[in-house]
Amino acid sequence: MLYSLAKFLMITYMSVVFGFKVTGQENVPEAGPVIIVANHASAFDPIALGCACPRQISFMAKAELFDNPVSAALLRGLRAFPVRRGRVDREAYRQSMDILKAGGALGMFPEGTRSETGELQKAYPGAARFAIQTGTPVLPAAVVGTFAGHRKGLKRFKEPMVRVVFGELIWPKVDRAGATVREETDALAEEIMKRIGELIMIA
């Protein structure tokens, strides 16, 4: 109930204040484990992505976002859990694996931190590594309009400011002849960012 209430309130808020448009929901698998990945330009991105997805997403979000009690309440309402960057966070790893084993949707931002320019950054290997370790498909998504610098020139109510688009599933390849796990992970991470970039262009 908390997730549904938080989602309803935030969809209403975004629709009224920014305009909110979602496309590609048919690409979201109805059941089974999936890793949902997106670009990251604003602390608002997890909320936008969670509201856009027809399934409940359990987000891995940086621990600093939970320092503010208001944002922490919203994030926890949308099933987010903290991960501490710059070190091995075993609790976050355990929670992520439990979510996938239970057939849930795990939300991650491969860039690891917000982009200061709104442009895509290089991906960290975490999402790709989880996908390869578990054989879980990756669902790329683009979140557009949450970065303040990209809102200039948009006409309110004529063009939705906040837009989310889901792409097609990416299945991890673990059978490339002679490829090491590191090479497989790097290749998948690059493919993830490439697909996210393509979705940004059409959002």
Side-chain angles (χ1 to χ4, degrees), residues 55-69:
R55 291 181 59 177
Q56 291 190 4
I57 307 176
S58 296
F59 284 102
M60 179 184 290
K62 66 178 183 179
E64 292 84 350
L65 293 177
F66 293 81
D67 292 340
N68 182 296

Side-chain angles (χ1 to χ4, degrees), residues 103-125:
L106 175 65
M108 298 182 69
F109 296 97
E111 295 164 282
T113 187
R114 284 176 286 173
S115 170
E116 295 182 358
T117 64
E119 304 302 322
L120 281 179
Q121 305 174 91
K122 184 177 180 179
Y124 283 88

Side-chain angles (χ1 to χ4, degrees), residues 135-146:
T136 302
V138 177
L139 179 68
V143 182
V144 176
T146 56

Side-chain angles (χ1 to χ4, degrees), residues 19-95:
F20 187 49
K21 180 181 178 181
V22 182
T23 55
Q25 286 185 323
E26 68 277 6
N27 293 320
V28 181
E30 295 182 1
V34 63
I35 301 172
I36 302 176
V37 295
N39 56 304
H40 196 18
S42 167
F44 201 67
D45 295 333
I47 296 173
L49 192 60
C51 289
C53 186
R55 291 181 59 177
Q56 291 190 4
I57 307 176
S58 296
F59 284 102
M60 179 184 290
K62 66 178 183 179
E64 292 84 350
L65 293 177
F66 293 81
D67 292 340
N68 182 296
V70 176
S71 63
L74 287 172
L75 289 169
R76 292 188 187 282
L78 291 172
R79 299 177 67 88
F81 60 95
V83 57
R84 300 197 177 278
R85 299 175 298 170
R87 69 184 192 186
V88 177
D89 191 331
R90 298 186 184 281
E91 177 59 22
Y93 177 83
R94 183 193 64 77
Q95 289 188 61

